[in-house]
Amino acid sequence: MLGRLLLASTWVTVAYAGLCRPEMQNAVKVRLSIKTALGDKAYTWDTSEEFLFKAIMAFTMRKYSSQQIETSSVLLCNETDRVSFWFVITNSSTNTTIPRSDVETAIRQNRRRINSAFLLDDNTLQFLEIPSTLAPPLEQPVPVWLIVFGVVICTTVAGIVFLLISGIQKCKGYTKKPEETEVLEEKCESAITVENGIPCDTLDLKAGQVNGVYAAADDERFTPL
């Protein structure tokens, strides 16, 4: 009886091993660049890491479908020292492999969880022939063209205001000068100068005025005998 069980177990193992080959339709190749990603903190890829990979892929398929995928359903083959291998996921109820398209979709939906489990990213944990899941581009809260338009408008308005203020100040300066001239002329008209006891009127800047000194000089009273 025990011999039959061992034989059956061996047959199942051989049959499953035949499902994982690079030329199989549903096989997926994986390449890990642990040293590149982590440098001196890189970990060694061993059987424990392989078990973690199988567990992650079983979790991924369970999240994607209602099938109860176990770690034993994930088969690895053609492993290399540079940490690359092929894998397939089997359906225990039919002893067949799950279609590659379903595996690809499941991987894309859970890519972040897979990467974080191995401390890697899309560039250092590669599922070959499966496009990397890129993060959506960040959307600007305000369009760039609107920012540029606002800057141009503000600059134009500031320039117009500056020109208006400058023009008003210049106009005030021009109107102030004639007023100062009129005040000065009025002061000159009202001022009376006394020379040698003789009152002398200042010259009228507007209409002209005869100086009293010369008028007094023509007066006979001041002409010497």
Side-chain angles (χ1 to χ4, degrees):
M1 184 66 180
L2 180 60
R4 291 181 180 179
L5 290 175
L6 291 175
L7 181 61
S9 177
T10 303
W11 181 85
V12 170
T13 302
V14 172
Y16 271 22
L19 297 176
C20 184
R21 294 196 304 270
E23 64 272 13
M24 297 298 292
Q25 182 180 1
N26 297 324
V28 179
K29 186 176 182 179
V30 181
R31 180 183 297 154
L32 294 89
S33 302
I34 303 173
K35 186 68 176 179
T36 302
L38 303 178
D40 296 336
K41 297 182 180 179
Y43 51 84
T44 302
W45 186 262
D46 52 19
T47 55
S48 297
E49 300 296 334
E50 290 180 2
F51 178 81
L52 176 60
F53 179 83
K54 292 179 180 181
I56 290 295
M57 294 311 301
F59 162 80
T60 299
M61 293 306 300
R62 285 192 176 198
K63 293 285 287 184
Y64 171 70
S65 65
S66 58
Q67 299 182 30
Q68 296 299 314
I69 304 298
E70 303 295 338
T71 55
S72 58
S73 300
V74 182
L75 306 179
L76 306 185
C77 58
N78 289 71
E79 300 178 53
T80 64
D81 294 337
R82 301 186 66 177
V83 195
S84 66
F85 52 86
W86 294 76
F87 78 94
V88 294
I89 300 177
T90 61
N91 187 339
S92 58
S93 61
T94 60
N95 292 331
T96 58
T97 57
I98 295 177
R100 180 189 173 98
S101 58
D102 293 341
V103 177
E104 289 182 0
T105 304
I107 290 173
R108 288 175 181 171
Q109 291 180 356
N110 297 277
R111 190 62 188 268
R112 286 188 178 181
R113 300 290 294 272
I114 299 172
N115 291 345
S116 61
F118 298 98
L119 306 177
L120 303 176
D121 56 24
D122 289 355
N123 295 322
T124 52
L125 174 54
Q126 298 175 318
F127 292 87
L128 302 186
E129 299 181 4
I130 299 179
S132 300
T133 304
L134 301 178
L138 296 177
E139 295 183 359
Q140 296 291 340
V142 180
V144 176
W145 67 266
L146 185 59
I147 297 175
V148 175
F149 179 76
V151 172
V152 172
I153 291 297
C154 292
T155 304
T156 304
V157 171
I160 293 173
V161 172
F162 175 76
L163 292 176
L164 290 175
I165 294 175
S166 301
I168 293 172
Q169 290 179 346
K170 288 182 179 180
C171 290
K172 288 183 178 180
Y174 290 146
T175 56
K176 186 176 181 181
K177 288 182 180 180
E179 293 178 357
E180 293 178 351
T181 304
E182 291 177 0
V183 172
L184 181 61
E185 290 176 354
E186 291 176 358
K187 289 182 179 180
C188 292
E189 291 176 356
S190 61
I192 299 176
T193 305
V194 178
E195 290 287 343
N196 297 326
I198 302 173
C200 301
D201 294 335
T202 57
L203 180 63
D204 188 356
L205 297 178
K206 292 182 178 179
Q209 186 174 355
V210 178
N211 195 329
V213 175
Y214 298 101
D218 294 337
D219 194 347
E220 295 180 353
R221 291 178 299 171
F222 299 99
T223 303
L225 295 177

